[in-house]
Amino acid sequence: MAKAKKEVNVKDDTFTKEQILNSKKFKTYKDALNVILNEDKQYTISQVEMLLTEFMKGKVN
C-alpha cells in the first residue's frame, strides 16, 4: 500500500534591516546595505545577496 506524500512548504527565514546590518556575514558591506535596504521590509539572505550584487555592479557617476 502506497503512502501519500506530504508536501512540505519550506519558507526561508526573513530578517529586518537592523538584523542584517548587525550580522557578521554582511559586516564588510554594512554601509552599502544601509543605503540599499528599507527599514520597513524584511529580506531573506538570498535577496540581500542579490541586491548587494546588483548594487556593486552599478555605475559610478
Side-chain angles (χ1 to χ4, degrees):
M1 208 174 189
K3 290 184 179 181
K5 286 187 179 181
K6 288 185 180 180
E7 286 190 33
V8 178
N9 202 1
V10 177
K11 184 177 179 185
D12 291 335
D13 291 331
T14 58
F15 303 94
T16 64
K17 178 179 179 177
E18 183 179 355
Q19 289 174 312
I20 293 166
L21 292 177
N22 291 324
S23 71
K24 291 179 184 177
K25 180 177 179 89
F26 295 111
K27 182 179 176 182
T28 306
Y29 303 104
K30 189 172 185 174
D31 290 335
L33 289 171
N34 198 28
V35 173
I36 298 169
L37 303 178
N38 294 324
E39 291 286 340
D40 57 342
K41 191 173 177 186
Q42 292 195 346
Y43 303 89
T44 64
I45 296 299
S46 60
Q47 286 175 321
V48 173
E49 290 171 343
M50 182 191 70
L51 290 169
L52 189 56
T53 301
E54 290 301 314
F55 179 79
M56 299 303 271
K57 288 181 184 178
K59 292 182 181 179
V60 176
N61 292 330

